[in-house]
Amino acid sequence: MGSRSRNEESHNLQKYGVPLYGAGWVPYDQVIRSTHKPPKQQDDDDKEEDQHGSKDEAVADKSDDIRRNYYVVLAGGGGAGNSGIRNAVLLSHFDFASNSLSDQPVAELRTDSDLPYRMAIHPHGDGIICALQNSCRLFEWDEVENTEIRRLGVKISEKVLSQLENVGQQLALTFDSEGTIFAAGSENGNLRVFKWPSLEIILNESEAHASVKDLSFSPDGKFLVSLGNRGPGRVWDLASSAVATPLAKENDELFASCRFFPLNNEDYVLYIAAITDRGASIVTWNTTTWKRIRTKQVVREPVSSFNVSADGKLLAVGTASGDISIIDSSSLQVRTTVKKAHLGIVTALAFSYDSRALVSASMDSSVRVTVIEDKKKSGGLNLWIIIFILLLAMAAYFLKAKGIIP
């Protein structure tokens, strides 16, 4: 298991002066929209191509350049009152080449006295929904005026979702994998599921839990798992808009967070991060029988955030003390731990779309990107070191046997 200190990669860590409650990755092609040229410019380029030959190579180079750029969206603030801390949705740039976050946000939208407390990113880049105190708002990117990363001219526009206005604070927001269904769970226990983007209601359960803590759709969109602040979890059958089965806790468990992941085209697994008096465990569930497959303690601190990588190979947990652990999903063994990655509670975790990096956010106003080490490369390097040591030992034995060395 690897371990890193907080200061080892400080260029991966930035503070933007806002306590953060949400973090995620924005698809690069949704930010760099100016790469989609208007018709007139495209016609001009076509004429130029006829005169000067193919420009496929130049286009490929530009596409590769775009793919090297990653954007992190963040949400948070000081809330209502006179704290002097702004409430905002922020956009930051992460550069893999230098392994660093931009020292200032490349875009920012203030939300006045409303704190963006929870966040869900549409899986195909169709905006970001943030839960504020008495409403939910959809934030979208306006046209980019400049494709040069260091001078990105991106703007963020917003609109209120009337169906979620004046219905209480929403504590859990999520889209299904196709981006056609959206769910919101509130502080007062109301669970609502909508078709997206029409917001036609599919399910409206006023007493789903005492308070809804987390939500996750199955990969095929047939089921939704909801967790409350106490009691068992629930599996909802969206076809019948009814509870399919409860997910029972054991002993002193407190279910904190849940995520599905597809094993293949038909089967999928459910992970639940649970808090116990010994720390935090990962519970794996069979999604045909809805029975537990395995429970394993992974850290000795209460878990405050949890997520699964896009390729399903890794899990990540953040703790109340600011640590981050990256876990192998098959063995549930901890691969890497970043001790004191943040000085405060880890409020949000999200893997990049290619599973190359993990962004984490905290109430201490910090955001960190942890690059995922290639296990194959590191494993190969370790093997060569072992072989080298064995060769040295054999050479020493041979020289000693020949009397060349005493």
Side-chain angles (χ1 to χ4, degrees):
M1 179 184 74
S3 182
R4 306 178 192 175
S5 68
R6 184 175 188 272
N7 296 321
E8 242 179 280
E9 297 177 338
S10 58
H11 47 281
N12 281 1
L13 179 76
Q14 293 291 347
K15 284 194 172 185
Y16 297 135
V18 174
L20 298 170
Y21 298 95
W25 297 85
V26 181
Y28 59 83
D29 59 344
Q30 297 301 317
V31 179
I32 312 294
R33 287 185 180 177
S34 62
T35 57
H36 301 291
K37 299 174 183 177
K40 184 179 185 304
Q41 185 178 351
Q42 186 63 56
D43 289 344
D44 292 343
D45 286 349
D46 290 343
K47 292 177 181 177
E48 185 179 344
E49 182 175 344
D50 291 339
Q51 295 173 1
H52 301 287
S54 174
K55 299 195 299 181
D56 288 345
E57 186 176 343
V59 171
D61 289 344
K62 186 174 185 179
S63 178
D64 289 343
D65 183 63
I66 292 170
R67 279 194 284 270
R68 285 193 290 268
N69 295 297
Y70 290 71
Y71 291 89
V72 173
V73 64
L74 308 162
N82 299 315
S83 67
I85 301 174
R86 69 195 190 280
N87 300 300
V89 177
L90 311 171
L91 184 70
S92 177
H93 174 245
F94 178 71
D95 179 54
F96 262 99
S98 61
N99 202 19
S100 61
L101 281 160
S102 54
D103 54 4
Q104 295 295 328
V106 297
E108 177 175 333
L109 178 67
R110 302 284 179 95
T111 56
D112 300 324
S113 61
D114 285 330
L115 168 66
Y117 189 57
R118 291 290 186 266
M119 184 178 73
I121 300 175
H122 190 275
H124 301 307
D126 188 19
I128 301 161
I129 295 179
C130 285
L132 294 89
Q133 185 173 359
N134 290 307
S135 67
C136 284
R137 300 185 197 175
L138 172 65
F139 297 90
E140 297 177 296
W141 313 114
D142 286 341
E143 286 296 322
V144 173
E145 300 165 0
N146 191 330
T147 59
E148 189 172 343
I149 297 305
R150 299 298 179 183
R151 300 195 301 273
L152 190 65
V154 65
K155 296 180 181 178
I156 308 172
S157 60
E158 63 175 305
K159 67 178 180 180
V160 175
L161 303 181
S162 58
Q163 293 85 341
L164 290 171
E165 193 171 12
N166 298 317
V167 293
Q169 173 75 63
Q170 305 302 304
L171 298 182
L173 306 173
T174 190
F175 285 98
D176 74 328
S177 60
E178 296 298 320
T180 58
I181 311 175
F182 170 69
S186 72
E187 189 174 33
N188 60 21
N190 198 309
L191 172 62
R192 296 175 176 87
V193 182
F194 306 91
K195 292 182 180 179
W196 184 265
S198 68
L199 290 179
E200 177 186 341
I201 194 73
I202 297 174
L203 185 153
N204 188 356
E205 177 56 56
S206 61
E207 297 180 350
H209 300 276
S211 181
V212 180
K213 180 181 291 186
D214 200 16
L215 299 167
S216 182
F217 283 103
S218 63
D220 57 13
K222 293 180 179 179
F223 299 101
L224 173 70
V225 168
S226 64
L227 303 180
N229 60 340
R230 61 178 183 271
R234 288 183 170 182
V235 181
W236 300 84
D237 184 333
L238 296 180
S240 62
S241 297
V243 176
T245 184
L247 298 173
K249 302 189 302 176
E250 291 185 355
N251 302 323
D252 62 339
E253 288 176 338
L254 177 65
F255 290 161
S257 188
C258 56
R259 292 293 183 272
F260 279 97
F261 187 79
L263 297 175
N264 50 52
N265 291 334
E266 296 180 357
D267 301 319
Y268 40 86
V269 66
L270 172 67
Y271 298 104
I272 292 183
I275 299 172
T276 70
D277 60 359
R278 298 178 301 280
S281 298
I282 301 296
V283 185
T284 310
W285 300 77
N286 181 303
T287 55
T288 301
T289 63
W290 298 108
K291 301 296 184 183
R292 290 176 181 237
I293 300 172
R294 185 182 185 188
T295 302
K296 188 176 188 300
Q297 182 179 349
V298 290
V299 293
R300 296 181 180 179
E301 297 283 342
V303 62
S304 57
S305 52
F306 172 69
N307 221 321
V308 180
S309 64
D311 60 13
K313 296 179 180 179
L314 300 173
L315 313 177
V317 296
T319 70
S321 61
D323 296 348
I324 295 170
S325 292
I326 298 172
I327 302 160
D328 184 279
S329 63
S330 298
S331 65
L332 295 185
Q333 294 291 329
V334 175
R335 280 181 46 170
T336 303
T337 295
V338 184
K339 290 287 187 182
K340 297 298 180 184
H342 302 273
L343 296 179
I345 183 173
V346 180
T347 52
L349 291 169
F351 285 94
S352 59
Y353 292 96
D354 56 8
S355 303
R356 292 179 61 197
L358 175 74
V359 63
S360 55
S362 172
M363 289 178 63
D364 72 354
S365 302
S366 66
V367 55
R368 170 187 284 270
V369 173
T370 302
V371 174
I372 308 300
E373 296 177 356
D374 190 325
K375 192 175 182 180
K376 291 181 180 179
K377 290 182 180 179
S378 61
L381 180 61
N382 291 336
L383 178 61
W384 281 112
I385 292 174
I386 292 170
I387 292 173
F388 180 69
I389 292 172
L390 288 174
L391 289 173
L392 284 179
M394 291 171 63
Y397 176 80
F398 175 79
L399 293 173
K400 189 173 183 180
K402 294 291 185 180
I404 299 175
I405 59 173

